[in-house]
Amino acid sequence: MAKLRVGVVSPEREIWSGEADMVIAKTIDGEIGIMPKHAPVLGVLVEGGVLTVKRGGGETDLVAAVHGGFLSVADDEVSILAELAELGSEVDVAAAKDALARAQASIEANQEDADAAVEAKRARARLRAAGEEVG
């Protein structure tokens, strides 16, 4: 079976690279699933999205919180160029829950707090990537 070559990078580091059966990401146009032989595409990733890389062969799916950036697909190669990304396995769940609580409190105190809204999206994405239930 054909595989995708996938690379996930941020300005700080290479997050992950390897082969996969499918990549699922959230773009500004909606969620997109990429499989081998997909048509070329360029997408803008949303702030506070979750990226899932289905590796197949009994391997655990790779899940990451992705905060903005781009997705590019060409010739069975998927490049994720994220402004900020964190693997679910690297998420400090307690810190993410604390960040979400602080952001929600700030939003309740000031409905037009755009920074708090972004922080809440990021915290929710981090928690989802770590496998936590988020309301």
Side-chain angles (χ1 to χ4, degrees):
M1 179 179 183
K3 292 275 191 176
L4 296 167
R5 291 177 310 282
V6 181
V8 182
V9 298
S10 72
E12 293 85 29
R13 66 186 176 115
E14 179 181 62
I15 307 298
W16 183 84
S17 67
E19 291 189 333
D21 291 337
M22 184 176 193
V23 174
I24 302 167
K26 190 166 184 179
T27 70
I28 60 172
D29 294 319
E31 196 167 67
I32 185 170
I34 306 295
M35 295 178 71
K37 307 297 182 199
H38 196 284
V41 67
L42 179 64
V44 177
L45 300 170
V46 298
E47 181 70 41
V50 174
L51 170 74
T52 304
V53 178
K54 299 199 172 275
R55 297 190 279 181
E59 291 190 60
T60 304
D61 293 346
L62 177 92
V63 182
V66 178
H67 311 292
F70 298 92
L71 169 138
S72 171
V73 179
D75 300 324
D76 286 343
E77 188 162 327
V78 180
S79 298
I80 307 291
L81 311 167
E83 291 178 25
L84 182 65
E86 183 176 15
L87 292 174
S89 60
E90 299 173 344
V91 171
D92 179 338
V93 173
K97 286 181 177 180
D98 185 51
L100 179 57
R102 283 191 322 270
Q104 288 175 327
S106 182
I107 290 168
E108 288 173 14
N110 179 5
Q111 293 294 323
E112 298 191 20
D113 190 343
D115 291 337
V118 168
E119 283 305 311
K121 283 182 184 180
R122 287 183 176 184
R124 283 188 189 97
R126 294 178 70 223
L127 290 167
R128 284 193 308 272
E132 295 289 314
E133 291 292 321
V134 181

